[in-house]
Amino acid sequence: MAIAQALEELHNLLGERLRRAKPELDAHGHSESYFPNTPPDAVAYPVSTDEVRRLVNICAAHNCPMVGWGAGTSLEGHGLAVRGGVVVDFSRMNKVLEIRPADMDVTVQPGVTREALNEELRATGLFFPVDPGANASIGGMAMTRASGTTTVRYGSMRDNVMGLQAVLADGRVIHTGSRARKSAAGYDLTAMFVGSEGTLGLVTELTLKLHGIPEATSAGICSFERIEDAVNCVQETIQMGIPMARIEFVDAATTQAFNAYAGSDMPAVPHLMVEFNGSPESVAQDADRFAEIVADHGGSPFQWSAREEEHRALWAMRHNGYYAILASRPGARAIVTDICVPISRLAQAVKETQYDIAASDIPGPILGHVGDGNFHTILLIDPDQPAEMLEAKRLSDAMAERAIRLGGTCTGEHGVGMGKTAFMRQEHGDAWDVMGSIKTALDPRDLMNPGKLVPQG
Amino acid sequence: MAIAQALEELHNLLGERLRRAKPELDAHGHSESYFPNTPPDAVAYPVSTDEVRRLVNICAAHNCPMVGWGAGTSLEGHGLAVRGGVVVDFSRMNKVLEIRPADMDVTVQPGVTREALNEELRATGLFFPVDPGANASIGGMAMTRASGTTTVRYGSMRDNVMGLQAVLADGRVIHTGSRARKSAAGYDLTAMFVGSEGTLGLVTELTLKLHGIPEATSAGICSFERIEDAVNCVQETIQMGIPMARIEFVDAATTQAFNAYAGSDMPAVPHLMVEFNGSPESVAQDADRFAEIVADHGGSPFQWSAREEEHRALWAMRHNGYYAILASRPGARAIVTDICVPISRLAQAVKETQYDIAASDIPGPILGHVGDGNFHTILLIDPDQPAEMLEAKRLSDAMAERAIRLGGTCTGEHGVGMGKTAFMRQEHGDAWDVMGSIKTALDPRDLMNPGKLVPQG
Ligand SMILES: Cc1cc2nc3c(=O)[nH]c(=O)nc-3n(C[C@H](O)[C@H](O)[C@H](O)COP(=O)(O)OP(=O)(O)OC[C@H]3O[C@@H](n4cnc5c(N)ncnc54)[C@H](O)[C@@H]3O)c2cc1C
Ligand SMILES: Cc1cc2nc3c(=O)[nH]c(=O)nc-3n(C[C@H](O)[C@H](O)[C@H](O)COP(=O)(O)OP(=O)(O)OC[C@H]3O[C@@H](n4cnc5c(N)ncnc54)[C@H](O)[C@@H]3O)c2cc1C
């Protein structure tokens, strides 16, 4: 057997860092979402780029699939070895290799988590802003083109990865990008790898842009009776050029889940949570100008603070949103949707979604990165009720189709994985085949995370 | 003859919009830089995407090369039909198709120039910020991944093209991206096309991000005795998070050229020209904080103003820099270099470059987008002295090699064209072959701007 042969050689290469015990396979066959457990044949823990290169050469020689693994927090079954083979777990390649404060950049191994990275950066006065809530790995975040609460100000992984090192399916080790802040020297291979979900190669190093920790921050919360008022308020703030660092929307159902989870008693209406970064004067001024816009749109007074502990409480609440919602239906599993639309269509998209959910039996609180036009519905289903799963899929599919119809995308930040391939044709038309051609050009035998992202032959 | 056959069919398609007169061919065989005139076999002026599609099908059937043409201002011979064939001039596809103020985006045809676009946008209070100095076409700017004075604040074409429509070498018309502000739905084909210099297809439509015209602007100039002081001043300003809209460096030789060209009498030392955008309060505050940093680094007092006519004069001076320098040596032609390095290496790169130039016989004033680590040397040569051309090439090559050695790129914004292919291997290693594989996957018969960007043969 080809895979058996590969595993034997991998064992010679990695020793006890090649694992085949069932619990370890199961842990790497599990996803954060609703996909059935899909254990790989083995889990490898390389410690260097050169070791990854050798691993790839062995797997390539025996047609053994390779699937990267960061923190395993992706939500569309991205890391499941659906054709068997080896999961390559990067948790032992988790070093911060070089911090360059003068250039405000850093080179890391893919397995470092964003929290660990920011811990190491603290003394420099710099930070890495992309924040998907979960404590994901930088490699995994790059591969899903992750974004989060701060993307409205600091961009997503697309904007913050300057270059990377990857091992291709044929064992070549390539470098993309450079440490220059911009370049016009040929095709943007960095952008091609960011968001490729491990289908083009295994990433072994990344160079990231850093940002200065802001001198001052103001943050606060306000509520609205109607969703469209909240959205119009966001739209106007963007158009005025007021530089928000975060602007998050939660609907009435999410607010109720917060209340139950944290014992708070916020009114059960839509809320905006907002943060400004800058100098002490500018963040006060920004917050005051925002408060005026809120008032113009009939919102509750914008209560803001410059005190760090209050900010921490605010964002802890937002980051616990997923868990607060999960807790609102004990024993439930979540199907998380992730559409992103032009901001002029956001109120419509949220309202039509709420209407659909209200007409179904499934709870689906909504929260999202409203400054980007991106929102999530957490559809809570009883895993023992197949009818609920079907209904949740129907709702989720309707949202993806709505997003595409409104000029947006079926996934703003979570990625394609197993869950969104059904919408790629609709969203991209013939351009999806172009993605397939690129995949074939780089990985003709389909060894890198097979079964994902591109059309399946 | 295959091309002759194609031209006959193209004539049937386009009538008088297929041109074969010598002056027209010469005008499209000319480049802004030092490359010999290379006229194509014909120039086509399509008026619609569908016409471009038919044109591509005809050319593909007869193996006839196709080369896009925007405003012809690129500096590395990008648009020269080095293997003959048809130049496809987009000047008649120059419409602004749809402005969407609520979403702050716009869809345009590729032939619209950035000045014409901004003219049409004026009433909306929005603008398109990428500004390469020349009045280039949006399609050409996307294809060279152009940037300019405002990139430090608003990004380059990489950051501001949201999606595009392209006709591939096999006649398929594809759409990339969406109108959502972000997406994780598959490979980033938009980024792959931006900077592809017409080698992957002809672009027939683009959707761009727009930005609000700032409520207020402050701008000014200051001087330094030493280059490293100017650069350190820029670095500290970035690290403090003071949001500059533009920050441009000119060296002593450029200042002298300005003086001669415009009758000014600035001291013959390096200068920084700086702009801040925001509210009236914030731009005053930013300018004051910048002035302190300038003083800390031994610069002359930073003289700034909030008056628009003074800003216009400042940036007209900067934008005329190229012509001021050309005028400083009557009859000369220019070889423009374009390196970009990590900002910690910028002072070193500028100084070593100046040293090389001082040791040669060729004048080479320096100016650049210092906030990005990007600068240009305008090497002035007598076109009748082959030795000068050789010497300029030697200097230019040394700069490209230096940039790569310092972790940067041989071209920050002008692109590869004919002039930088010699450095692609050095900069990208095996990744250059990956670019070649992508090209082959999309254009196996090498019909789209052949002879450029990817490894040849
Ligand atoms: C509570 C919660 C909230 C979330 N909120 C957000 C959010 O706001 N925004 C957002 O973007 N996401 C969010 N996510 C999803 C998830 O955190 C992101 O998708 C994240 O980027 C995944 O990173 P990871 O390290 O867990 O990657 P993994 O799940 O381990 O892997 C992701 C993909 O990348 C591949 N891969 C990983 N490492 C490598 C490598 N080195 N080389 C090649 N391929 C590799 C894998 O094969 C897989 O295809 C959330 C998830 C949870 C559970
Ligand atoms: C004085 C001066 C200053 C400059 N300053 C800057 C600067 O600061 N920053 C900067 O980035 N550049 C600068 N440039 C260079 C130039 O302006 C840019 O390269 C610009 O992007 C070229 O645009 P264009 O419309 O002239 O393109 P062209 O020169 O016509 O074409 C450029 C390339 O794109 C291809 N192309 C054009 N349109 C299409 C299409 N629709 N489909 C497919 N392929 C197409 C062409 O084949 C060619 O390969 C400067 C040039 C001059 C003369």
Side-chain angles (χ1 to χ4, degrees):
Chain A
M1 253 284 305
I3 289 189
Q5 185 63 36
L7 297 187
E8 198 178 312
E9 294 180 27
L10 288 174
H11 180 77
N12 291 341
L13 174 69
L14 300 169
E16 61 84 38
R17 289 185 283 107
L18 188 80
R19 301 289 176 80
R20 307 203 53 186
K22 188 164 182 320
E24 193 118 4
L25 301 184
D26 281 345
H28 290 83
H30 166 87
S31 95
E32 274 291 334
S33 196
Y34 57 91
F35 301 96
N37 203 292
T38 313
D41 292 297
V43 182
Y45 292 89
V47 295
S48 69
T49 300
D50 194 59
E51 213 167 64
V52 175
R53 186 183 61 77
R54 288 165 193 237
L55 176 155
V56 169
N57 281 329
I58 291 171
C59 289
H62 301 289
N63 269 318
C64 173
M66 294 157 266
V67 183
W69 190 273
T73 68
S74 53
L75 293 166
E76 295 289 0
H78 294 75
L80 302 183
V82 290
R83 303 212 184 134
V86 179
V87 159
V88 183
D89 185 317
F90 283 94
S91 56
R92 300 201 190 177
M93 288 178 67
N94 65 347
K95 286 190 200 50
V96 175
L97 297 175
E98 195 180 350
I99 306 174
R100 304 177 201 86
D103 293 316
M104 299 174 74
D105 66 32
V106 64
T107 300
V108 302
Q109 289 185 317
V112 67
T113 65
R114 63 170 187 86
E115 287 180 8
L117 171 59
N118 279 319
E119 205 49 61
E120 288 214 36
L121 290 173
R122 201 174 302 271
T124 63
L126 300 169
F127 78 115
F128 183 69
V130 183
D131 171 9
N135 190 17
S137 74
I138 296 295
M141 287 165 61
M143 288 301 94
T144 63
R145 203 182 293 126
S147 61
T149 56
T150 61
T151 294
V152 68
R153 167 81 176 247
Y154 298 100
S156 72
M157 292 305 279
R158 180 189 201 270
D159 310 295
N160 287 288
V161 179
M162 300 173 68
L164 50 80
Q165 184 185 61
V167 184
L168 304 182
D170 60 10
R172 276 180 297 170
V173 180
I174 63 161
H175 298 259
T176 72
S178 77
R179 292 217 302 109
R181 285 272 147 174
K182 64 185 189 190
S183 170
Y187 303 156
D188 190 343
L189 297 183
T190 305
M192 196 181 73
F193 272 88
V194 172
S196 65
E197 304 184 0
T199 60
L200 298 177
L202 293 170
V203 172
T204 48
E205 235 176 79
L206 304 100
T207 296
L208 311 170
K209 285 186 196 166
L210 300 175
H211 300 262
I213 295 175
E215 198 191 340
T217 290
S218 62
I221 189 166
C222 56
S223 68
F224 296 83
E225 289 298 320
R226 302 186 317 160
I227 287 167
E228 43 285 45
D229 295 330
V231 171
N232 289 338
C233 170
V234 174
Q235 211 168 322
E236 191 175 326
T237 310
I238 294 172
Q239 273 167 348
M240 301 279 291
I242 302 177
M244 293 167 291
R246 312 188 201 227
I247 185 150
E248 296 289 306
F249 170 82
V250 298
D251 73 349
T254 301
T255 308
Q256 283 169 316
F258 283 152
N259 284 342
Y261 191 73
S264 52
D265 63 344
M266 300 192 288
V269 291
H271 283 76
L272 290 179
M273 300 167 158
V274 189
E275 179 178 302
F276 303 97
N277 292 346
S279 66
E281 301 81 7
S282 77
V283 300
Q285 198 195 6
D286 291 340
D288 288 342
R289 291 171 79 202
F290 179 71
E292 282 171 34
I293 299 173
V294 171
D296 288 348
H297 291 276
S300 74
F302 175 61
Q303 298 171 321
W304 66 273
S305 153
R307 292 177 50 214
E308 203 186 320
E309 52 285 18
E310 293 188 32
H311 304 166
R312 248 201 303 264
L314 183 71
W315 298 118
M317 178 160 77
R318 168 62 185 86
H319 277 144
N320 281 327
Y322 177 74
Y323 301 102
I325 290 166
L326 265 185
S328 72
R329 185 173 181 189
R333 290 212 76 173
I335 295 192
V336 184
T337 70
D338 176 41
I339 68 174
C340 189
V341 296
I343 197 143
S344 66
R345 305 306 184 90
L346 184 59
Q348 177 187 354
V350 173
K351 287 179 71 172
E352 289 183 15
T353 299
Q354 284 189 322
Y355 184 88
D356 278 7
I357 290 170
S360 87
D361 292 334
I362 296 178
I366 291 177
L367 71 182
H369 313 304
V370 73
D372 308 319
N374 181 208
F375 69 90
H376 310 301
T377 312
I378 319 276
L379 297 166
L380 294 173
I381 58 167
D382 177 344
D384 298 328
Q385 300 277 348
E388 289 204 2
M389 170 64 102
L390 280 177
E391 175 68 351
K393 288 286 286 174
R394 187 188 65 76
L395 290 167
S396 165
D397 290 358
M399 276 178 245
E401 282 165 13
R402 178 175 302 127
I404 295 167
R405 205 167 55 237
L406 296 175
T409 175
C410 65
T411 174
E413 56 184 21
H414 293 167
V416 183
M418 320 259 298
K420 290 292 179 288
T421 38
F423 300 97
M424 291 294 276
R425 177 67 63 198
Q426 206 170 322
E427 182 164 332
H428 299 291
D430 286 351
W432 197 29
D433 298 317
V434 172
M435 297 185 201
S437 303
I438 292 171
K439 163 76 172 176
T440 305
L442 294 198
D443 180 17
R445 288 184 295 140
D446 200 10
L447 297 175
M448 290 291 174
N449 203 2
K452 313 281 170 62
L453 202 147
V454 293
Q456 298 301 312
Chain B
M1 253 284 304
I3 289 189
Q5 185 63 37
L7 297 187
E8 197 178 311
E9 293 180 28
L10 289 174
H11 180 76
N12 291 341
L13 174 68
L14 300 169
E16 60 85 37
R17 288 185 284 103
L18 188 80
R19 301 287 176 82
R20 306 204 53 187
K22 186 161 184 323
E24 192 117 3
L25 301 184
D26 282 345
H28 291 83
H30 166 86
S31 95
E32 274 290 335
S33 194
Y34 57 93
F35 301 96
N37 204 292
T38 314
D41 291 297
V43 182
Y45 292 90
V47 295
S48 70
T49 300
D50 194 58
E51 214 168 62
V52 175
R53 185 182 62 75
R54 288 165 195 238
L55 175 156
V56 168
N57 281 329
I58 291 171
C59 289
H62 300 290
N63 270 317
C64 173
M66 294 157 267
V67 183
W69 190 274
T73 69
S74 53
L75 293 166
E76 295 288 1
H78 294 75
L80 301 183
V82 291
R83 302 209 186 138
V86 179
V87 160
V88 183
D89 184 318
F90 284 94
S91 57
R92 301 200 189 178
M93 288 179 68
N94 65 347
K95 286 191 200 49
V96 175
L97 297 174
E98 196 179 350
I99 306 174
R100 305 177 201 86
D103 292 316
M104 299 174 72
D105 66 31
V106 64
T107 300
V108 301
Q109 288 185 317
V112 67
T113 65
R114 62 171 186 86
E115 287 179 8
L117 172 60
N118 278 320
E119 203 51 59
E120 288 215 37
L121 290 172
R122 199 174 303 270
T124 63
L126 301 170
F127 78 116
F128 183 69
V130 184
D131 171 8
N135 189 18
S137 74
I138 296 295
M141 286 166 61
M143 289 300 94
T144 63
R145 203 182 292 127
S147 62
T149 56
T150 62
T151 294
V152 67
R153 168 80 176 247
Y154 298 100
S156 72
M157 291 306 279
R158 180 190 202 269
D159 310 295
N160 286 288
V161 179
M162 300 173 68
L164 50 82
Q165 184 185 59
V167 184
L168 303 182
D170 60 9
R172 275 180 300 171
V173 180
I174 64 162
H175 298 259
T176 72
S178 77
R179 291 216 303 110
R181 284 275 147 172
K182 64 185 191 190
S183 170
Y187 304 155
D188 191 344
L189 298 183
T190 305
M192 197 181 72
F193 271 89
V194 172
S196 65
E197 304 186 359
T199 59
L200 298 177
L202 293 169
V203 172
T204 50
E205 235 176 78
L206 304 101
T207 296
L208 311 171
K209 286 186 196 166
L210 300 175
H211 300 262
I213 294 175
E215 197 191 340
T217 290
S218 63
I221 189 166
C222 56
S223 67
F224 295 83
E225 289 298 321
R226 302 186 318 161
I227 287 168
E228 44 281 48
D229 296 329
V231 170
N232 290 338
C233 170
V234 173
Q235 211 170 321
E236 190 175 327
T237 310
I238 294 172
Q239 274 169 347
M240 301 278 292
I242 303 177
M244 293 167 291
R246 314 190 200 225
I247 185 149
E248 296 289 307
F249 170 81
V250 297
D251 73 349
T254 301
T255 309
Q256 282 169 316
F258 283 153
N259 284 342
Y261 191 73
S264 52
D265 63 345
M266 301 192 289
V269 292
H271 284 75
L272 289 178
M273 300 167 156
V274 189
E275 180 177 302
F276 303 98
N277 293 346
S279 66
E281 300 81 8
S282 76
V283 301
Q285 199 194 5
D286 291 341
D288 288 342
R289 291 171 79 202
F290 180 71
E292 283 172 34
I293 299 173
V294 171
D296 287 349
H297 290 276
S300 74
F302 175 60
Q303 299 172 318
W304 66 273
S305 155
R307 293 176 52 214
E308 203 185 320
E309 50 288 14
E310 293 188 33
H311 303 166
R312 249 203 301 265
L314 183 72
W315 298 118
M317 177 159 77
R318 168 63 184 87
H319 277 144
N320 282 325
Y322 178 73
Y323 302 103
I325 290 167
L326 266 186
S328 72
R329 185 174 182 189
R333 290 211 76 172
I335 295 193
V336 184
T337 70
D338 176 41
I339 69 174
C340 189
V341 296
I343 196 142
S344 66
R345 305 308 183 90
L346 184 60
Q348 178 187 355
V350 172
K351 288 179 69 170
E352 289 183 13
T353 300
Q354 284 190 321
Y355 184 88
D356 278 7
I357 290 170
S360 87
D361 291 334
I362 295 177
I366 290 178
L367 72 184
H369 313 305
V370 75
D372 308 320
N374 181 208
F375 70 91
H376 310 301
T377 312
I378 320 275
L379 297 166
L380 295 172
I381 58 166
D382 177 345
D384 298 327
Q385 301 277 349
E388 289 203 2
M389 169 64 105
L390 279 178
E391 174 68 352
K393 289 286 284 173
R394 187 188 66 76
L395 290 167
S396 165
D397 290 358
M399 276 178 246
E401 282 165 13
R402 177 176 302 128
I404 294 167
R405 205 167 55 235
L406 295 175
T409 176
C410 66
T411 174
E413 55 182 23
H414 293 166
V416 183
M418 321 257 298
K420 290 292 180 288
T421 39
F423 300 98
M424 291 294 277
R425 177 66 63 196
Q426 206 170 322
E427 182 163 334
H428 299 292
D430 286 352
W432 197 30
D433 297 317
V434 172
M435 297 185 201
S437 304
I438 293 170
K439 163 75 173 179
T440 305
L442 294 198
D443 179 17
R445 288 185 295 139
D446 200 11
L447 297 176
M448 290 291 175
N449 204 2
K452 312 282 170 60
L453 203 147
V454 293
Q456 299 299 313

